[in-house]
Coordinates of all heavy atoms in Angstrom, one line a residue:
T345 N 143.2 -27.6 25.6 CA 143.1 -29.0 25.0 C 144.5 -29.5 24.7 O 145.3 -28.8 24.0 CB 142.3 -28.9 23.7 OG1 141.0 -28.3 24.1 CG2 142.1 -30.3 23.1
P346 N 144.8 -30.7 25.1 CA 146.1 -31.3 24.9 C 146.4 -31.5 23.3 O 145.5 -32.0 22.6 CB 146.1 -32.6 25.6 CG 145.1 -32.5 26.6 CD 144.0 -31.6 26.0
V347 N 147.5 -31.0 22.9 CA 147.9 -31.1 21.5 C 149.4 -31.5 21.4 O 150.2 -30.9 22.1 CB 147.7 -29.8 20.7 CG1 148.3 -29.9 19.3 CG2 146.2 -29.6 20.5
D348 N 149.7 -32.5 20.6 CA 151.1 -32.8 20.4 C 151.8 -31.6 19.8 O 151.4 -31.1 18.7 CB 151.2 -34.0 19.5 CG 152.6 -34.5 19.2 OD1 153.6 -33.7 19.5 OD2 152.8 -35.5 18.5
P349 N 152.9 -31.1 20.4 CA 153.5 -29.9 19.9 C 154.0 -30.1 18.4 O 154.0 -29.1 17.7 CB 154.8 -29.7 20.8 CG 154.3 -30.3 22.1 CD 153.5 -31.5 21.7
A350 N 154.3 -31.3 18.1 CA 154.8 -31.5 16.7 C 153.6 -31.4 15.7 O 153.9 -31.3 14.5 CB 155.4 -32.9 16.6
R351 N 152.4 -31.3 16.2 CA 151.2 -31.3 15.3 C 150.4 -30.0 15.4 O 149.4 -29.8 14.8 CB 150.3 -32.5 15.5 CG 151.0 -33.8 15.3 CD 149.9 -34.9 15.4 NE 149.0 -34.9 14.3 CZ 147.9 -35.6 14.1 NH1 147.6 -36.5 15.1 NH2 147.1 -35.5 13.1
E352 N 151.0 -29.0 16.1 CA 150.3 -27.7 16.3 C 150.0 -27.1 14.9 O 149.0 -26.4 14.7 CB 151.2 -26.7 17.1 CG 151.3 -27.0 18.5 CD 150.2 -26.3 19.4 OE1 149.4 -25.5 18.8 OE2 150.1 -26.6 20.6
S353 N 150.9 -27.3 13.9 CA 150.7 -26.7 12.6 C 149.4 -27.3 11.9 O 149.0 -26.7 10.9 CB 151.9 -27.0 11.7 OG 152.1 -28.3 11.5
E354 N 148.9 -28.4 12.4 CA 147.7 -29.0 11.7 C 146.4 -28.4 12.3 O 145.3 -28.8 11.7 CB 147.8 -30.5 11.9 CG 149.0 -31.2 11.3 CD 148.9 -32.7 11.6 OE1 147.9 -33.3 11.4 OE2 150.0 -33.3 12.0
L355 N 146.5 -27.6 13.3 CA 145.3 -27.0 13.8 C 144.7 -26.0 12.8 O 145.4 -25.5 11.9 CB 145.6 -26.3 15.1 CG 146.0 -27.2 16.3 CD1 146.5 -26.3 17.5 CD2 144.8 -28.1 16.7
T356 N 143.4 -25.7 13.0 CA 142.9 -24.6 12.1 C 143.6 -23.3 12.5 O 144.1 -23.1 13.6 CB 141.4 -24.5 12.4 OG1 141.1 -24.3 13.8 CG2 140.6 -25.7 11.9
P357 N 143.6 -22.3 11.5 CA 144.3 -21.1 11.8 C 143.8 -20.3 13.0 O 144.7 -19.8 13.7 CB 144.0 -20.3 10.5 CG 143.8 -21.3 9.4 CD 143.1 -22.5 10.1
I358 N 142.5 -20.3 13.3 CA 142.1 -19.6 14.5 C 142.6 -20.2 15.7 O 143.0 -19.5 16.7 CB 140.5 -19.5 14.5 CG1 140.0 -18.6 15.6 CG2 139.9 -20.9 14.6 CD1 140.4 -17.2 15.4
N359 N 142.6 -21.6 15.8 CA 143.2 -22.2 17.0 C 144.7 -22.0 17.2 O 145.2 -21.9 18.3 CB 142.7 -23.6 17.1 CG 141.4 -23.8 17.7 OD1 141.2 -23.4 18.9 ND2 140.4 -24.3 17.0
R360 N 145.4 -22.1 16.0 CA 146.8 -21.8 16.1 C 147.1 -20.4 16.7 O 147.9 -20.2 17.6 CB 147.5 -21.9 14.8 CG 147.6 -23.4 14.3 CD 148.7 -23.5 13.2 NE 148.5 -22.6 12.1 CZ 147.8 -22.8 11.0 NH1 147.1 -24.0 10.9 NH2 147.7 -22.0 10.0
W361 N 146.3 -19.5 16.2 CA 146.5 -18.0 16.6 C 146.1 -17.9 18.1 O 146.9 -17.2 18.8 CB 145.6 -17.2 15.7 CG 145.6 -15.7 16.0 CD1 146.6 -14.8 15.7 CD2 144.6 -14.9 16.6 NE1 146.3 -13.6 16.1 CE2 145.1 -13.6 16.6 CE3 143.4 -15.2 17.2 CZ2 144.3 -12.5 17.2 CZ3 142.6 -14.2 17.7 CH2 143.1 -12.9 17.7
L362 N 145.0 -18.5 18.5 CA 144.6 -18.3 19.9 C 145.6 -19.0 20.8 O 146.0 -18.4 21.9 CB 143.2 -19.0 20.1 CG 142.0 -18.3 19.5 CD1 140.8 -19.2 19.5 CD2 141.7 -17.0 20.2
R363 N 146.1 -20.1 20.5 CA 147.1 -20.8 21.3 C 148.4 -20.1 21.3 O 149.1 -20.1 22.4 CB 147.2 -22.3 20.8 CG 146.0 -23.1 21.1 CD 146.0 -24.4 20.4 NE 147.0 -25.3 21.0 CZ 146.7 -26.2 21.9 NH1 145.4 -26.3 22.4 NH2 147.6 -27.0 22.5
E364 N 148.8 -19.5 20.2 CA 150.1 -18.8 20.2 C 150.0 -17.6 21.1 O 150.9 -17.2 21.9 CB 150.4 -18.4 18.8 CG 150.9 -19.5 17.9 CD 150.9 -19.1 16.4 OE1 150.6 -18.0 16.1 OE2 151.2 -20.0 15.6
R365 N 148.8 -16.9 21.0 CA 148.6 -15.7 21.9 C 148.6 -16.1 23.4 O 149.1 -15.4 24.3 CB 147.3 -15.0 21.5 CG 147.5 -14.2 20.2 CD 146.1 -13.6 19.8 NE 145.7 -12.6 20.8 CZ 146.1 -11.3 20.8 NH1 146.9 -10.8 19.9 NH2 145.6 -10.5 21.8
A366 N 147.9 -17.3 23.7 CA 147.9 -17.7 25.1 C 149.3 -18.0 25.6 O 149.6 -17.7 26.7 CB 147.0 -19.0 25.2
G367 N 150.1 -18.6 24.7 CA 151.5 -18.9 25.1 C 152.4 -17.7 25.4 O 153.4 -17.8 26.1
S368 N 152.0 -16.6 24.8 CA 152.8 -15.4 24.9 C 152.3 -14.4 26.0 O 152.8 -13.3 26.2 CB 153.0 -14.7 23.6 OG 151.7 -14.2 23.1
T369 N 151.2 -14.8 26.6 CA 150.6 -14.0 27.7 C 151.1 -14.4 29.1 O 150.9 -15.5 29.5 CB 149.0 -14.2 27.7 OG1 148.5 -13.8 26.4 CG2 148.4 -13.3 28.8
P370 N 151.8 -13.5 29.7 CA 152.3 -13.8 31.1 C 151.2 -14.1 32.0 O 150.1 -13.5 32.0 CB 153.1 -12.5 31.5 CG 153.3 -11.8 30.2 CD 152.2 -12.1 29.3
A371 N 151.5 -15.1 32.9 CA 150.5 -15.5 33.9 C 149.9 -14.3 34.7 O 148.7 -14.3 34.9 CB 151.1 -16.6 34.8
P372 N 150.7 -13.4 35.1 CA 150.2 -12.2 35.9 C 149.2 -11.4 35.1 O 148.2 -10.9 35.6 CB 151.4 -11.4 36.3 CG 152.5 -12.4 36.3 CD 152.2 -13.3 35.2
D373 N 149.4 -11.3 33.8 CA 148.4 -10.6 32.9 C 147.1 -11.3 32.9 O 146.0 -10.7 32.9 CB 149.0 -10.4 31.5 CG 150.1 -9.4 31.5 OD1 150.5 -8.9 32.5 OD2 150.7 -9.3 30.4
L374 N 147.1 -12.6 32.8 CA 145.9 -13.4 32.7 C 145.2 -13.3 34.1 O 143.9 -13.1 34.1 CB 146.2 -14.9 32.4 CG 145.0 -15.8 32.4 CD1 144.0 -15.5 31.3 CD2 145.5 -17.3 32.2
V375 N 145.9 -13.4 35.2 CA 145.3 -13.3 36.5 C 144.6 -11.9 36.7 O 143.5 -11.7 37.2 CB 146.3 -13.6 37.6 CG1 145.7 -13.3 39.0 CG2 146.7 -15.0 37.5
A376 N 145.3 -10.9 36.2 CA 144.8 -9.5 36.3 C 143.6 -9.3 35.5 O 142.6 -8.7 35.9 CB 145.9 -8.5 35.9
A377 N 143.5 -9.9 34.3 CA 142.3 -9.8 33.5 C 141.1 -10.5 34.2 O 140.0 -9.9 34.2 CB 142.6 -10.5 32.1
W378 N 141.4 -11.7 34.7 CA 140.3 -12.4 35.4 C 139.8 -11.6 36.6 O 138.6 -11.5 36.9 CB 140.8 -13.8 35.8 CG 139.7 -14.7 36.4 CD1 139.9 -15.4 37.5 CD2 138.4 -14.8 36.0 NE1 138.7 -16.1 37.8 CE2 137.8 -15.8 36.9 CE3 137.6 -14.3 35.0 CZ2 136.4 -16.2 36.8 CZ3 136.2 -14.7 34.9 CH2 135.7 -15.6 35.8
A379 N 140.8 -10.9 37.3 CA 140.4 -10.1 38.5 C 139.5 -8.9 38.1 O 138.5 -8.6 38.7 CB 141.6 -9.6 39.2
R380 N 139.9 -8.3 37.0 CA 139.0 -7.2 36.5 C 137.7 -7.7 36.1 O 136.6 -7.0 36.4 CB 139.7 -6.5 35.3 CG 140.9 -5.6 35.6 CD 141.4 -4.8 34.5 NE 141.9 -5.6 33.4 CZ 143.2 -6.0 33.2 NH1 144.1 -5.6 34.1 NH2 143.6 -6.7 32.2
L381 N 137.6 -8.8 35.5 CA 136.3 -9.4 35.1 C 135.5 -9.7 36.3 O 134.3 -9.5 36.4 CB 136.5 -10.6 34.2 CG 137.0 -10.4 32.8 CD1 137.3 -11.7 32.1 CD2 135.9 -9.6 32.0
Q382 N 136.1 -10.2 37.4 CA 135.4 -10.5 38.6 C 134.8 -9.3 39.3 O 133.7 -9.3 39.8 CB 136.3 -11.3 39.6 CG 136.5 -12.7 39.2 CD 137.4 -13.4 40.3 OE1 138.3 -12.9 40.8 NE2 136.9 -14.6 40.7
R383 N 135.6 -8.2 39.2 CA 135.1 -6.9 39.8 C 133.9 -6.5 39.0 O 132.9 -6.0 39.5 CB 136.2 -5.9 39.8 CG 137.2 -6.1 40.9 CD 138.1 -4.9 41.0 NE 139.0 -4.7 39.9 CZ 140.2 -5.2 39.8 NH1 140.7 -6.0 40.7 NH2 140.9 -4.9 38.7
G384 N 134.0 -6.6 37.7 CA 132.8 -6.2 36.8 C 131.6 -7.1 37.1 O 130.5 -6.6 37.1
V385 N 131.8 -8.4 37.3 CA 130.7 -9.2 37.6 C 130.0 -8.8 38.9 O 128.7 -8.8 39.0 CB 131.2 -10.7 37.7 CG1 130.1 -11.6 38.4 CG2 131.5 -11.2 36.3
R386 N 130.8 -8.5 39.9 CA 130.1 -8.0 41.2 C 129.3 -6.8 41.0 O 128.2 -6.7 41.5 CB 131.2 -7.7 42.2 CG 132.0 -9.0 42.7 CD 132.9 -8.7 43.9 NE 133.5 -9.9 44.3 CZ 134.8 -10.2 44.0 NH1 135.5 -9.4 43.2 NH2 135.3 -11.4 44.5
S387 N 129.8 -5.9 40.2 CA 129.0 -4.7 39.9 C 127.8 -5.0 39.0 O 126.6 -4.5 39.3 CB 129.9 -3.7 39.1 OG 129.2 -2.6 38.7
L388 N 127.9 -5.9 38.1 CA 126.8 -6.3 37.2 C 125.7 -6.9 38.0 O 124.5 -6.6 37.9 CB 127.3 -7.2 36.1 CG 126.2 -7.9 35.2 CD1 125.4 -6.9 34.5 CD2 126.9 -8.9 34.3
L389 N 126.1 -7.9 38.9 CA 125.1 -8.6 39.6 C 124.3 -7.7 40.6 O 123.1 -7.8 40.8 CB 125.7 -9.8 40.4 CG 126.3 -10.9 39.5 CD1 126.9 -12.0 40.4 CD2 125.2 -11.5 38.6
A390 N 125.0 -6.8 41.2 CA 124.4 -5.8 42.1 C 123.4 -4.9 41.3 O 122.3 -4.6 41.8 CB 125.4 -5.0 42.8
A391 N 123.8 -4.5 40.1 CA 123.0 -3.6 39.3 C 121.7 -4.3 38.8 O 120.7 -3.6 38.6 CB 123.8 -3.0 38.2
T392 N 121.8 -5.6 38.5 CA 120.7 -6.2 37.9 C 119.8 -7.0 38.9 O 118.8 -7.6 38.5 CB 121.1 -7.2 36.8 OG1 122.1 -8.2 37.3 CG2 121.8 -6.5 35.6
E393 N 120.2 -7.0 40.2 CA 119.5 -7.7 41.2 C 118.0 -7.3 41.3 O 117.2 -8.1 41.6 CB 120.2 -7.6 42.5 CG 119.5 -8.3 43.7 CD 119.4 -9.8 43.5 OE1 120.3 -10.4 42.8 OE2 118.5 -10.4 44.1
P394 N 117.7 -6.0 41.1 CA 116.3 -5.6 41.2 C 115.4 -6.2 40.1 O 114.2 -6.2 40.2 CB 116.3 -4.1 41.1 CG 117.7 -3.7 41.4 CD 118.6 -4.8 41.0
Y395 N 116.0 -6.8 39.1 CA 115.2 -7.3 37.9 C 115.1 -8.8 37.9 O 116.1 -9.5 38.2 CB 115.9 -6.8 36.6 CG 116.0 -5.3 36.5 CD1 117.1 -4.7 36.9 CD2 114.8 -4.5 36.2 CE1 117.2 -3.3 36.9 CE2 114.9 -3.1 36.2 CZ 116.1 -2.5 36.5 OH 116.2 -1.2 36.5
D396 N 113.9 -9.3 37.7 CA 113.7 -10.7 37.6 C 114.4 -11.3 36.3 O 114.7 -12.5 36.3 CB 112.2 -11.1 37.6 CG 111.6 -10.6 38.8 OD1 111.8 -11.2 39.9 OD2 110.8 -9.6 38.8
A397 N 114.5 -10.5 35.3 CA 115.1 -10.9 34.0 C 115.6 -9.7 33.3 O 115.1 -8.6 33.5 CB 114.1 -11.7 33.2
V398 N 116.5 -9.9 32.4 CA 117.0 -8.8 31.5 C 116.8 -9.3 30.1 O 117.2 -10.4 29.7 CB 118.5 -8.5 31.8 CG1 119.1 -7.6 30.8 CG2 118.6 -8.0 33.2
L399 N 116.3 -8.4 29.3 CA 116.0 -8.7 27.8 C 117.1 -8.0 27.0 O 117.4 -6.8 27.2 CB 114.6 -8.1 27.4 CG 114.3 -8.1 25.9 CD1 114.2 -9.5 25.4 CD2 113.1 -7.3 25.7
S400 N 117.6 -8.7 26.0 CA 118.5 -8.1 25.0 C 118.4 -8.9 23.7 O 117.8 -10.0 23.7 CB 120.0 -8.1 25.5 OG 120.5 -9.5 25.5
P401 N 119.0 -8.4 22.6 CA 119.1 -9.3 21.5 C 120.0 -10.5 21.9 O 120.8 -10.4 22.8 CB 119.8 -8.5 20.4 CG 119.5 -7.0 20.9 CD 119.5 -7.1 22.4

Side-chain angles (χ1 to χ4, degrees):
T345 303
V347 169
D348 181 349
R351 301 190 66 187
E352 287 270 352
S353 62
E354 298 178 47
L355 294 171
T356 54
I358 186 68
N359 273 303
R360 289 201 306 273
W361 181 74
L362 289 169
R363 292 169 71 92
E364 286 167 3
R365 287 178 61 88
S368 63
T369 300
D373 289 357
L374 178 62
V375 172
W378 183 224
R380 286 190 295 269
L381 290 171
Q382 284 186 314
R383 287 194 290 270
V385 165
R386 292 189 179 98
S387 174
L388 169 62
L389 293 179
T392 56
E393 179 61 27
Y395 301 97
D396 299 291
V398 172
L399 170 70
S400 71

